[in-house]
PDB file of all heavy atoms in Angstrom:
ATOM      1  N   GLU S   1     112.655-140.108 107.133  1.00 98.00           N
ATOM      2  CA  GLU S   1     111.743-140.340 108.181  1.00 98.00           C
ATOM      3  C   GLU S   1     111.636-139.097 109.055  1.00 98.00           C
ATOM      4  O   GLU S   1     112.536-138.288 109.239  1.00 98.00           O
ATOM      5  CB  GLU S   1     112.268-141.453 109.114  1.00 98.00           C
ATOM      6  CG  GLU S   1     112.432-142.816 108.388  1.00 98.00           C
ATOM      7  CD  GLU S   1     113.868-142.999 107.926  1.00 98.00           C
ATOM      8  OE1 GLU S   1     114.598-142.083 107.753  1.00 98.00           O
ATOM      9  OE2 GLU S   1     114.192-144.239 107.835  1.00 98.00           O
ATOM     10  N   SER S   2     110.417-138.996 109.735  1.00 98.00           N
ATOM     11  CA  SER S   2     110.189-137.912 110.713  1.00 98.00           C
ATOM     12  C   SER S   2     109.156-138.395 111.732  1.00 98.00           C
ATOM     13  O   SER S   2     108.529-139.468 111.537  1.00 98.00           O
ATOM     14  CB  SER S   2     109.666-136.644 109.956  1.00 98.00           C
ATOM     15  OG  SER S   2     108.454-136.937 109.318  1.00 98.00           O
ATOM     16  N   GLY S   3     109.055-137.616 112.808  1.00 98.00           N
ATOM     17  CA  GLY S   3     107.931-137.956 113.785  1.00 98.00           C
ATOM     18  C   GLY S   3     108.490-138.621 115.033  1.00 98.00           C
ATOM     19  O   GLY S   3     107.676-138.929 115.976  1.00 98.00           O
ATOM     20  N   GLY S   4     109.758-139.010 115.112  1.00 97.00           N
ATOM     21  CA  GLY S   4     110.263-139.655 116.193  1.00 97.00           C
ATOM     22  C   GLY S   4     110.397-138.729 117.409  1.00 97.00           C
ATOM     23  O   GLY S   4     110.113-137.452 117.388  1.00 97.00           O
ATOM     24  N   GLY S   5     110.904-139.225 118.481  1.00 97.00           N
ATOM     25  CA  GLY S   5     111.094-138.433 119.764  1.00 97.00           C
ATOM     26  C   GLY S   5     111.020-139.185 120.950  1.00 97.00           C
ATOM     27  O   GLY S   5     111.121-140.434 120.993  1.00 97.00           O
ATOM     28  N   LEU S   6     110.870-138.456 122.080  1.00 98.00           N
ATOM     29  CA  LEU S   6     110.769-139.073 123.469  1.00 98.00           C
ATOM     30  C   LEU S   6     109.335-139.091 123.864  1.00 98.00           C
ATOM     31  O   LEU S   6     108.619-138.082 123.800  1.00 98.00           O
ATOM     32  CB  LEU S   6     111.661-138.269 124.412  1.00 98.00           C
ATOM     33  CG  LEU S   6     111.526-138.607 125.831  1.00 98.00           C
ATOM     34  CD1 LEU S   6     112.083-140.026 126.102  1.00 98.00           C
ATOM     35  CD2 LEU S   6     112.313-137.636 126.709  1.00 98.00           C
ATOM     36  N   VAL S   7     108.777-140.206 124.338  1.00 98.00           N
ATOM     37  CA  VAL S   7     107.506-140.406 124.840  1.00 98.00           C
ATOM     38  C   VAL S   7     107.432-141.289 126.024  1.00 98.00           C
ATOM     39  O   VAL S   7     108.299-142.093 126.200  1.00 98.00           O
ATOM     40  CB  VAL S   7     106.577-140.863 123.737  1.00 98.00           C
ATOM     41  CG1 VAL S   7     107.002-142.334 123.300  1.00 98.00           C
ATOM     42  CG2 VAL S   7     105.151-140.846 124.093  1.00 98.00           C
ATOM     43  N   GLN S   8     106.524-141.060 126.918  1.00 98.00           N
ATOM     44  CA  GLN S   8     106.310-141.878 127.956  1.00 98.00           C
ATOM     45  C   GLN S   8     105.677-143.303 127.673  1.00 98.00           C
ATOM     46  O   GLN S   8     104.919-143.235 126.786  1.00 98.00           O
ATOM     47  CB  GLN S   8     105.600-141.197 129.173  1.00 98.00           C
ATOM     48  CG  GLN S   8     106.268-140.095 129.835  1.00 98.00           C
ATOM     49  CD  GLN S   8     105.562-139.497 131.017  1.00 98.00           C
ATOM     50  OE1 GLN S   8     104.275-139.603 131.091  1.00 98.00           O
ATOM     51  NE2 GLN S   8     106.254-138.984 132.001  1.00 98.00           N
ATOM     52  N   ALA S   9     105.957-144.289 128.442  1.00 98.00           N
ATOM     53  CA  ALA S   9     105.247-145.559 128.243  1.00 98.00           C
ATOM     54  C   ALA S   9     103.769-145.352 128.262  1.00 98.00           C
ATOM     55  O   ALA S   9     103.224-144.564 129.037  1.00 98.00           O
ATOM     56  CB  ALA S   9     105.730-146.503 129.367  1.00 98.00           C
ATOM     57  N   GLY S  10     103.134-145.987 127.315  1.00 98.00           N
ATOM     58  CA  GLY S  10     101.658-145.859 127.158  1.00 98.00           C
ATOM     59  C   GLY S  10     101.281-144.728 126.145  1.00 98.00           C
ATOM     60  O   GLY S  10     100.093-144.713 125.769  1.00 98.00           O
ATOM     61  N   GLY S  11     102.265-143.938 125.773  1.00 98.00           N
ATOM     62  CA  GLY S  11     102.008-142.880 124.780  1.00 98.00           C
ATOM     63  C   GLY S  11     101.988-143.338 123.370  1.00 98.00           C
ATOM     64  O   GLY S  11     102.130-144.512 123.101  1.00 98.00           O
ATOM     65  N   SER S  12     101.842-142.363 122.499  1.00 98.00           N
ATOM     66  CA  SER S  12     101.750-142.670 121.077  1.00 98.00           C
ATOM     67  C   SER S  12     102.596-141.719 120.321  1.00 98.00           C
ATOM     68  O   SER S  12     103.009-140.651 120.699  1.00 98.00           O
ATOM     69  CB  SER S  12     100.323-142.451 120.590  1.00 98.00           C
ATOM     70  OG  SER S  12      99.392-143.283 121.249  1.00 98.00           O
ATOM     71  N   LEU S  13     103.035-142.236 119.180  1.00 98.00           N
ATOM     72  CA  LEU S  13     103.809-141.473 118.196  1.00 98.00           C
ATOM     73  C   LEU S  13     103.391-141.893 116.792  1.00 98.00           C
ATOM     74  O   LEU S  13     102.956-142.989 116.497  1.00 98.00           O
ATOM     75  CB  LEU S  13     105.320-141.706 118.304  1.00 98.00           C
ATOM     76  CG  LEU S  13     106.123-140.995 119.398  1.00 98.00           C
ATOM     77  CD1 LEU S  13     107.529-141.493 119.404  1.00 98.00           C
ATOM     78  CD2 LEU S  13     106.054-139.484 119.271  1.00 98.00           C
ATOM     79  N   ARG S  14     103.508-140.953 115.833  1.00 98.00           N
ATOM     80  CA  ARG S  14     103.221-141.323 114.433  1.00 98.00           C
ATOM     81  C   ARG S  14     104.491-141.011 113.621  1.00 98.00           C
ATOM     82  O   ARG S  14     104.898-139.790 113.529  1.00 98.00           O
ATOM     83  CB  ARG S  14     102.019-140.552 113.840  1.00 98.00           C
ATOM     84  CG  ARG S  14     101.731-141.169 112.419  1.00 98.00           C
ATOM     85  CD  ARG S  14     100.472-140.457 111.806  1.00 98.00           C
ATOM     86  NE  ARG S  14     100.811-139.169 111.250  1.00 98.00           N
ATOM     87  CZ  ARG S  14     100.009-138.507 110.365  1.00 98.00           C
ATOM     88  NH1 ARG S  14      98.921-139.132 109.905  1.00 98.00           N
ATOM     89  NH2 ARG S  14     100.368-137.314 109.892  1.00 98.00           N
ATOM     90  N   LEU S  15     105.104-142.001 113.060  1.00 98.00           N
ATOM     91  CA  LEU S  15     106.271-141.767 112.199  1.00 98.00           C
ATOM     92  C   LEU S  15     105.824-141.668 110.733  1.00 98.00           C
ATOM     93  O   LEU S  15     104.822-142.227 110.309  1.00 98.00           O
ATOM     94  CB  LEU S  15     107.232-143.010 112.326  1.00 98.00           C
ATOM     95  CG  LEU S  15     107.756-143.364 113.764  1.00 98.00           C
ATOM     96  CD1 LEU S  15     108.679-144.557 113.574  1.00 98.00           C
ATOM     97  CD2 LEU S  15     108.371-142.158 114.388  1.00 98.00           C
ATOM     98  N   SER S  16     106.557-140.849 110.055  1.00 98.00           N
ATOM     99  CA  SER S  16     106.281-140.631 108.601  1.00 98.00           C
ATOM    100  C   SER S  16     107.552-141.031 107.838  1.00 98.00           C
ATOM    101  O   SER S  16     108.612-140.811 108.258  1.00 98.00           O
ATOM    102  CB  SER S  16     105.935-139.261 108.277  1.00 98.00           C
ATOM    103  OG  SER S  16     104.718-138.812 108.959  1.00 98.00           O
ATOM    104  N   CYS S  17     107.263-141.596 106.668  1.00 98.00           N
ATOM    105  CA  CYS S  17     108.398-141.935 105.735  1.00 98.00           C
ATOM    106  C   CYS S  17     107.917-141.290 104.357  1.00 98.00           C
ATOM    107  O   CYS S  17     107.072-141.781 103.719  1.00 98.00           O
ATOM    108  CB  CYS S  17     108.514-143.463 105.596  1.00 98.00           C
ATOM    109  SG  CYS S  17     109.659-144.022 104.299  1.00 98.00           S
ATOM    110  N   ALA S  18     108.635-140.264 103.982  1.00 97.00           N
ATOM    111  CA  ALA S  18     108.330-139.479 102.766  1.00 97.00           C
ATOM    112  C   ALA S  18     109.359-139.684 101.758  1.00 97.00           C
ATOM    113  O   ALA S  18     110.521-139.695 102.104  1.00 97.00           O
ATOM    114  CB  ALA S  18     108.115-138.036 103.114  1.00 97.00           C
ATOM    115  N   ALA S  19     108.918-139.841 100.515  1.00 96.00           N
ATOM    116  CA  ALA S  19     109.781-139.901  99.358  1.00 96.00           C
ATOM    117  C   ALA S  19     110.024-138.549  98.807  1.00 96.00           C
ATOM    118  O   ALA S  19     109.118-137.838  98.403  1.00 96.00           O
ATOM    119  CB  ALA S  19     109.246-140.818  98.314  1.00 96.00           C
ATOM    120  N   SER S  20     111.298-138.115  98.926  1.00 89.00           N
ATOM    121  CA  SER S  20     111.638-136.763  98.385  1.00 89.00           C
ATOM    122  C   SER S  20     112.097-136.801  96.992  1.00 89.00           C
ATOM    123  O   SER S  20     112.117-135.758  96.305  1.00 89.00           O
ATOM    124  CB  SER S  20     112.670-136.091  99.343  1.00 89.00           C
ATOM    125  OG  SER S  20     113.833-136.893  99.300  1.00 89.00           O
ATOM    126  N   ARG S  21     112.507-137.965  96.508  1.00 86.00           N
ATOM    127  CA  ARG S  21     112.898-138.167  95.092  1.00 86.00           C
ATOM    128  C   ARG S  21     112.461-139.559  94.729  1.00 86.00           C
ATOM    129  O   ARG S  21     112.277-140.438  95.534  1.00 86.00           O
ATOM    130  CB  ARG S  21     114.428-138.098  94.953  1.00 86.00           C
ATOM    131  CG  ARG S  21     115.029-136.695  95.044  1.00 86.00           C
ATOM    132  CD  ARG S  21     116.441-136.641  94.487  1.00 86.00           C
ATOM    133  NE  ARG S  21     117.238-137.781  94.803  1.00 86.00           N
ATOM    134  CZ  ARG S  21     118.513-137.961  94.565  1.00 86.00           C
ATOM    135  NH1 ARG S  21     119.131-136.916  94.009  1.00 86.00           N
ATOM    136  NH2 ARG S  21     119.217-138.949  94.865  1.00 86.00           N
ATOM    137  N   GLY S  22     112.214-139.689  93.458  1.00 87.00           N
ATOM    138  CA  GLY S  22     111.818-141.001  92.976  1.00 87.00           C
ATOM    139  C   GLY S  22     110.397-141.324  93.321  1.00 87.00           C
ATOM    140  O   GLY S  22     110.087-142.509  93.682  1.00 87.00           O
ATOM    141  N   THR S  23     109.538-140.352  93.316  1.00 87.00           N
ATOM    142  CA  THR S  23     108.125-140.546  93.821  1.00 87.00           C
ATOM    143  C   THR S  23     107.351-141.524  92.971  1.00 87.00           C
ATOM    144  O   THR S  23     106.456-142.199  93.465  1.00 87.00           O
ATOM    145  CB  THR S  23     107.419-139.182  93.986  1.00 87.00           C
ATOM    146  OG1 THR S  23     107.383-138.504  92.659  1.00 87.00           O
ATOM    147  CG2 THR S  23     108.102-138.314  94.979  1.00 87.00           C
ATOM    148  N   TYR S  24     107.580-141.544  91.651  1.00 89.00           N
ATOM    149  CA  TYR S  24     106.956-142.424  90.757  1.00 89.00           C
ATOM    150  C   TYR S  24     107.312-143.891  91.125  1.00 89.00           C
ATOM    151  O   TYR S  24     106.370-144.670  91.255  1.00 89.00           O
ATOM    152  CB  TYR S  24     107.352-142.179  89.310  1.00 89.00           C
ATOM    153  CG  TYR S  24     106.715-143.168  88.301  1.00 89.00           C
ATOM    154  CD1 TYR S  24     105.421-142.933  87.848  1.00 89.00           C
ATOM    155  CD2 TYR S  24     107.419-144.275  87.870  1.00 89.00           C
ATOM    156  CE1 TYR S  24     104.864-143.859  87.005  1.00 89.00           C
ATOM    157  CE2 TYR S  24     106.839-145.115  86.958  1.00 89.00           C
ATOM    158  CZ  TYR S  24     105.540-144.951  86.532  1.00 89.00           C
ATOM    159  OH  TYR S  24     104.933-145.833  85.675  1.00 89.00           O
TER     160      TYR S  24
END
């Protein structure tokens, strides 16, 4: 997972979940 962090209320974030192995 990536893309987390600190944001103020009302803000936006986009999280990503990437497969680094076992992509098939």
